[in-house]
Amino acid sequence: MNNDFRKEMEHILGENQVKVGEFLSKHTTFKMGGEADYFVIPQSPEEIVELVNLCNKEKVPFYILGNGSNILVGDKGYRGVIIQIGKGMEKIEFGETIEGQTRVLAGAGVSLAKLAKMVAGKGLTGFEFASGIPGTLGGAITMNAGAYGGEIKDCILWAKVIDKQGQIRVIEKKDLELGYRTSVIQKDGYIVVEAEFTFASGVIEEIEKKMTDLNRQRVEKQPLNYPSAGSTFKRPEGYFAGKLIMDAGLAGYQVGDIMVSTKHCGFVVNVGAGTAKDARQLIEDVSRIVYEKFQVKLEPEVRFLGEF
């Protein structure tokens, strides 16, 4: 470990704010992942800029982590700095309402569930779809998260990001290139720090009922009783990944303690002391078998990080 590098990070963040050898299994919904060399939680965009500039200067790799809900971290961990955007970057500010549309500013570290609840509580509609997605806003914008017919692109106005050179930029909706599980943020390696949205006025009781119904559907259809990284594969055009996997006879297919869920085949779950190596093997097996049977290529929605 480079002690001078650690001291420089502590100069940015404060004493004792840099964790060394932090197990990433504690920070991912899959509950897997080895140690990161360094693990930090900045409290502001300015701190992120300083950290990015420091990492670039010292040629130390870094990775931006939110809630860890769409990621598989290798068993041997990550060589570099994990920058988690969460606590300290969770602001929610309600702005002016014009012609029934209310502007809402939110920090990248806020959970989608919390933002959806706050938006609904103000009688605003259009974010109900996000109430059960287990992630933070920054990650959701990066991948244009969506569910039950709604997507981030439906309600976002702009996003404030940090580019690879450590510069803060504001990108308008038209330039975000929001598509199915993709964006210019993902393509160009930007870091989301905050964003503004607009929502229409609605009836609180109807909005809350819709959220309750969507969350009930989620509980009924998804294997939420096991650790997972959410939906494992992207939806291939013209097909549903879960149905292809089920039709391939892979429900319950297992490698070690990693299994294709029998409740929803689009999910890969950790049913015990699963390893990232086994999870990656299972994902590769499923992709290969589905392609052999149906000539449809399944691409992982889950991101792979670190050393396996």
Side-chain angles (χ1 to χ4, degrees), residues 235-246:
R235 185 178 67 237
E237 194 171 344
Y239 299 89
F240 290 101
K243 187 172 191 313
L244 286 168
I245 296 165
M246 183 174 66

Side-chain angles (χ1 to χ4, degrees), residues 2-307:
N2 185 329
N3 214 33
D4 289 340
F5 179 71
R6 179 181 176 178
K7 283 180 180 175
E8 286 193 66
M9 284 197 291
E10 287 189 335
H11 178 72
I12 294 167
L13 300 168
E15 263 192 77
N16 305 316
Q17 295 304 306
V18 178
K19 295 181 180 179
V20 176
E22 179 79 352
F23 275 97
L24 294 175
S25 54
K26 292 158 56 176
H27 302 282
T28 64
T29 58
F30 230 150
K31 304 300 182 192
M32 289 183 284
E35 297 178 44
D37 288 345
Y38 303 101
F39 185 92
V40 297
I41 306 176
Q43 303 293 303
S44 69
E46 291 72 26
E47 287 185 353
I48 298 171
V49 167
E50 288 192 68
L51 287 168
V52 168
N53 289 338
L54 174 63
C55 289
N56 287 338
K57 184 183 80 170
E58 300 295 333
K59 296 182 170 52
V60 175
F62 65 89
Y63 184 83
I64 302 299
L65 186 71
N67 194 45
S69 59
N70 197 41
I71 189 169
L72 176 63
V73 180
D75 302 309
K76 295 176 183 176
Y78 181 74
R79 306 286 71 81
V81 183
I82 296 292
I83 301 173
Q84 185 178 52
I85 298 179
K87 292 173 184 173
M89 296 186 63
E90 302 173 301
K91 73 175 178 184
I92 300 172
E93 295 175 1
F94 291 87
E96 59 184 353
T97 301
I98 301 173
E99 297 178 356
Q101 295 285 325
T102 300
R103 296 169 83 102
V104 181
L105 183 69
V110 71
S111 76
L112 293 178
K114 180 179 178 181
L115 182 57
K117 186 176 180 181
M118 294 284 284
V119 167
K122 292 285 188 179
L124 301 174
T125 184
F127 209 59
E128 295 91 333
F129 73 90
S131 63
I133 299 176
T136 52
L137 184 62
I141 295 169
T142 301
M143 65 178 290
N144 186 32
Y148 298 109
E151 292 179 296
I152 290 293
K153 73 175 182 180
D154 299 334
C155 47
I156 194 169
L157 289 176
W158 52 260
K160 184 181 286 184
V161 306
I162 298 169
D163 64 22
K164 285 184 174 178
Q165 286 70 47
Q167 300 295 312
I168 294 178
R169 301 172 50 186
V170 172
I171 305 177
E172 300 294 332
K173 177 180 180 175
K174 64 183 175 61
D175 299 316
L176 284 170
E177 297 178 25
L178 296 166
Y180 176 65
R181 302 299 177 263
T182 187
S183 69
V184 72
I185 294 163
Q186 191 177 96
K187 292 173 190 170
D188 291 347
Y190 297 151
I191 302 164
V192 180
V193 293
E194 66 180 31
E196 190 170 43
F197 298 84
T198 182
F199 299 108
S201 298
V203 180
I204 289 181
E205 291 76 18
E206 291 176 5
I207 295 165
E208 291 179 342
K209 182 181 183 301
K210 184 176 180 181
M211 283 169 58
T212 300
D213 289 345
L214 291 180
N215 285 327
R216 177 181 48 77
Q217 289 181 51
R218 191 179 294 272
V219 169
E220 287 174 358
K221 295 178 181 178
Q222 298 180 7
L224 303 181
N225 53 324
Y226 290 114
S228 79
S231 184
T232 307
F233 298 95
K234 294 178 182 178
R235 185 178 67 237
E237 194 171 344
Y239 299 89
F240 290 101
K243 187 172 191 313
L244 286 168
I245 296 165
M246 183 174 66
D247 291 347
L250 292 170
Y253 178 76
Q254 205 159 334
V255 176
D257 277 346
I258 305 297
M259 185 179 81
V260 174
S261 169
T262 53
K263 190 172 186 179
H264 189 316
C265 290
F267 285 70
V268 171
V269 295
N270 183 358
V271 297
T275 68
K277 181 183 177 184
D278 288 344
R280 189 163 77 166
Q281 184 63 59
L282 183 142
I283 289 168
E284 289 172 357
D285 289 352
V286 168
S287 295
R288 175 178 50 80
I289 293 166
V290 165
Y291 187 78
E292 287 171 356
K293 287 183 178 286
F294 306 114
Q295 286 72 57
V296 178
K297 187 169 177 57
L298 289 182
E299 293 184 15
E301 187 170 309
V302 173
R303 296 182 183 184
F304 301 93
L305 177 70
E307 299 179 357

